[in-house]
Amino acid sequence: METVQSRQSAAPGAFTAFARFVLCGGGVGLASSFAVAALASWMPWGLANALITVVSTLLATELHARFTFGAGGRATWRQHRQSAGSAAAAYAVTCLAMLVLQQLVAAPGAALEQIVYLSASALAGVARFAVLRLVVFARNRSQAVAVVGTACPVPALADAAAAADPAVLCRAA
């Protein structure tokens, strides 16, 4: 029975997945914002943001595959490529937000830059969650549900539930 339960927990619901996404993605995003600010003192902001975006996307994709969406292990190359596409869109959003800030405020302070950057990142993050959940990790989630469904079919449970013990009900356990 543990096998079926572990497979069921491998596909979290939308609320649980979003909470995990905020924890993992938000943590990586927050660390990234400080890393971008630090690197921007040595190089152009756009280049610093690009470097940090690449590193944080690789890290976040692994975290999302293993923890957020319950894909059951390391992220595949396909998932990394698709996640990179959504990260590229998020990169464009953060760059655009910072460009607009530079046009509106001649010399913004570090706090204002952080507020704008984190706000743009949060907006892009919500869109990324939808893309990752519905596209990037959807195949793995549906396969896990299909495996659970075939391993212990509901009609077999209904017919034998009254007289059999749990180990007999689901031979896959």
Side-chain angles (χ1 to χ4, degrees):
M1 207 60 161
E2 286 181 59
T3 305
V4 172
Q5 288 173 346
S6 66
R7 286 180 186 159
Q8 287 172 338
S9 66
F15 180 77
T16 300
F18 186 74
R20 291 176 180 180
F21 178 82
V22 169
L23 179 67
C24 293
V28 170
L30 188 60
S32 295
S33 71
F34 290 107
V36 167
L39 278 180
S41 65
W42 297 344
M43 63 181 70
W45 187 91
L47 180 58
N49 191 23
L51 290 173
I52 295 303
T53 297
V54 169
V55 172
S56 65
T57 299
L58 290 170
L59 175 61
T61 301
E62 284 297 326
L63 288 172
H64 294 321
R66 294 173 189 223
F67 181 68
T68 303
F69 299 108
R74 294 195 58 162
T76 65
W77 286 110
R78 177 191 60 82
Q79 291 166 333
H80 274 291
R81 282 191 309 273
Q82 289 176 329
S83 181
S86 68
Y91 171 77
V93 168
T94 57
C95 284
L96 181 62
M98 294 305 286
L99 180 64
V100 169
L101 175 64
Q102 294 298 325
Q103 296 301 313
L104 295 177
V105 180
L112 181 57
E113 285 182 339
Q114 287 287 51
I115 290 168
V116 170
Y117 180 80
L118 290 174
S119 298
S121 293
L123 179 64
V126 171
R128 277 196 80 210
F129 172 77
V131 169
L132 293 176
R133 181 164 170 83
L134 299 173
V135 178
V136 177
F137 294 103
R139 176 183 284 172
N140 289 342
R141 202 173 63 251
S142 64
Q143 285 175 348
V145 171
V147 168
V148 169
T150 58
C152 190
V154 175
L157 284 174
D159 295 338
D165 70 57
V168 174
L169 291 176
C170 188
R171 301 215 186 269

